[in-house]
Amino acid sequence: MRYCSKCGHSVNMSIPIGDNRARAVCPNCEHIEYDNPRIITGTIPLYEGQVLLCRRNIEPRFGFWTLPAGFMENQESTSEGALRETLEESGSIAVCKQAFSMFSIPHINQVHLFYIAELERDDFHATEESSEVALFDLEDIPWDELAFSSVSKTLKLFIKDHKNGHYGFHDDVISANQLSSS
Amino acid sequence: MRYCSKCGHSVNMSIPIGDNRARAVCPNCEHIEYDNPRIITGTIPLYEGQVLLCRRNIEPRFGFWTLPAGFMENQESTSEGALRETLEESGSIAVCKQAFSMFSIPHINQVHLFYIAELERDDFHATEESSEVALFDLEDIPWDELAFSSVSKTLKLFIKDHKNGHYGFHDDVISANQLSSS
């Protein structure tokens, strides 16, 4: 951040009065630019006991499999964003059943949130963002080809809860020293 | 958003290639400025069956009671942010027990998240942000003087779950036509 979004003047990093951390502050118009974590929202899309995965057609992790998810947008709820991303990435229409997992990832300033969702029908297809979209049996998840650690952790928790017959809500932190798909 | 944060040039609202909604795009350096929802993270701080509330010493809702909460910052987890805000607003040190409620509020582009937390000891005080900090019995919550609908909804759900002897995770949406403290 080098210029003020309100007036175009160059900004300084300084601690505003009443605050306790450095922000981009404009010496011209006094506007303060806040930079906060972003939410990635997505689904575990289920159809007759199988889970839908998307093979990424974009970076990062091009070619790896993922649950459909993406940046939450303004003017939507977390579950609306999850279903929008599911449609955009897999061409499928789903319904959210419950919030299932939430991972804070402090070193990239993100929070990843996944909903258990059910596909309305066996209808999905490759998209601009996904070179391939497919249903997997839970015992056939391609663990070594998953794109992100939040995805693999979510799927592991889902399988564990599925075996126990009860789906909880799981809140955890992913730190910088964990591998991208571990 | 009127100027590019990277180069200071005035920006245009347009739909970038591969995107499906208008963003602030710089015609000079091609930087795209994304604006996404922010997370408010806080606690339901408990001490021997009572809940700690803070009387707001700042706008909005100056003078009304609230659960301690505030904007999640970069480089922290949701629970770390919740405990930081609890300390900043009430002077108390708490421990998060579980994520309890999450409210999407699309018309203000926020997601409010509350953790059940326990105070380590009966030690809190007024702060710059809170003119008064006090413990309340659950039957003495000042319902008509609560600052935000996410706070009143969280407290109502907490009392309901407390009576049932089991605390769940609650995910809901607060729309524009709901009163600020209802």
Side-chain angles (χ1 to χ4, degrees), chain B residues 95-106:
Chain B
V95 177
C96 283
K97 307 309 282 187
Q98 68 165 84
F100 179 72
S101 64
M102 181 171 71
F103 293 99
S104 293
I105 314 182

Side-chain angles (χ1 to χ4, degrees), chain B residues 7-63:
Chain B
C7 77
H9 196 283
S10 62
V11 297
N12 303 321
M13 291 303 290
S14 63
I15 300 175
I17 294 164
D19 203 341
N20 52 24
R21 64 188 70 205
R23 316 279 182 187
V25 179
C26 179
N28 182 52
C29 75
E30 299 183 349
H31 175 67
I32 303 168
E33 203 77 51
Y34 293 94
D35 187 26
N36 299 89
R38 289 168 200 233
I39 298 170
I40 305 288
T41 183
T43 61
I44 309 164
L46 303 171
Y47 186 76
E48 294 185 354
Q50 292 186 299
V51 60
L52 181 138
L53 297 176
C54 304
R55 194 191 279 274
R56 288 176 66 81
N57 198 36
I58 48 174
E59 294 291 354
R61 305 289 283 165
F62 182 99

Side-chain angles (χ1 to χ4, degrees), chain B:
Chain B
M1 190 77 63
R2 292 176 298 183
Y3 297 90
C4 176
S5 63
K6 294 283 183 207
C7 77
H9 196 283
S10 62
V11 297
N12 303 321
M13 291 303 290
S14 63
I15 300 175
I17 294 164
D19 203 341
N20 52 24
R21 64 188 70 205
R23 316 279 182 187
V25 179
C26 179
N28 182 52
C29 75
E30 299 183 349
H31 175 67
I32 303 168
E33 203 77 51
Y34 293 94
D35 187 26
N36 299 89
R38 289 168 200 233
I39 298 170
I40 305 288
T41 183
T43 61
I44 309 164
L46 303 171
Y47 186 76
E48 294 185 354
Q50 292 186 299
V51 60
L52 181 138
L53 297 176
C54 304
R55 194 191 279 274
R56 288 176 66 81
N57 198 36
I58 48 174
E59 294 291 354
R61 305 289 283 165
F62 182 99
F64 285 78
W65 290 94
T66 189
L67 291 167
F71 286 102
M72 182 182 176
E73 298 281 4
N74 285 343
Q75 309 292 320
E76 70 183 4
S77 68
T78 48
S79 59
E80 285 168 347
L83 297 178
R84 176 184 51 71
E85 289 289 343
T86 303
L87 179 61
E88 286 177 7
E89 297 191 2
S90 74
S92 68
I93 294 169
V95 177
C96 283
K97 307 309 282 187
Q98 68 165 84
F100 179 72
S101 64
M102 181 171 71
F103 293 99
S104 293
I105 314 182
H107 65 285
I108 55 170
N109 304 323
Q110 291 182 357
V111 175
H112 291 202
L113 183 67
F114 288 95
Y115 283 85
I116 296 175
E118 280 177 14
L119 295 190
E120 294 204 337
R121 51 189 169 278
D122 181 11
D123 186 7
F124 49 82
H125 53 77
T127 62
E128 213 166 300
E129 296 176 53
S130 309
S131 59
E132 200 177 344
V133 177
L135 289 170
F136 289 82
D137 288 331
L138 295 184
E139 54 268 36
D140 294 332
I141 304 282
W143 297 106
D144 295 338
E145 296 174 65
L146 293 180
F148 305 109
S149 52
S150 62
V151 168
S152 57
K153 284 175 187 292
T154 292
L155 287 168
K156 280 176 192 163
L157 288 165
F158 177 77
I159 289 170
K160 191 176 169 196
D161 280 12
H162 181 73
K163 284 178 180 162
N164 290 336
H166 173 76
Y167 303 104
F169 180 75
H170 305 273
D171 171 32
D172 206 349
V173 179
I174 294 175
S175 58
N177 58 11
Q178 289 175 281
L179 290 173
S180 60
S181 65
S182 67

Side-chain angles (χ1 to χ4, degrees), chain A residues 29-124:
Chain A
C29 75
E30 298 183 349
H31 174 67
I32 303 168
E33 204 76 52
Y34 293 94
D35 187 26
N36 299 89
R38 288 167 200 231
I39 297 170
I40 304 288
T41 184
T43 61
I44 309 163
L46 302 172
Y47 186 77
E48 295 185 353
Q50 291 185 299
V51 61
L52 181 137
L53 297 177
C54 303
R55 194 190 280 274
R56 287 176 66 80
N57 198 37
I58 50 174
E59 293 292 354
R61 305 289 283 166
F62 181 99
F64 285 78
W65 290 94
T66 189
L67 292 166
F71 286 101
M72 181 182 177
E73 298 281 3
N74 285 343
Q75 309 291 321
E76 69 183 5
S77 68
T78 49
S79 59
E80 285 168 347
L83 296 178
R84 176 184 50 72
E85 288 289 343
T86 303
L87 178 60
E88 287 176 7
E89 298 192 0
S90 74
S92 70
I93 293 170
V95 176
C96 283
K97 307 309 282 186
Q98 68 164 86
F100 179 72
S101 65
M102 180 171 70
F103 293 98
S104 294
I105 314 181
H107 65 285
I108 54 170
N109 304 323
Q110 291 183 357
V111 175
H112 291 202
L113 183 67
F114 289 96
Y115 283 85
I116 296 175
E118 280 177 15
L119 295 189
E120 294 203 337
R121 50 191 167 276
D122 181 10
D123 186 8
F124 48 84

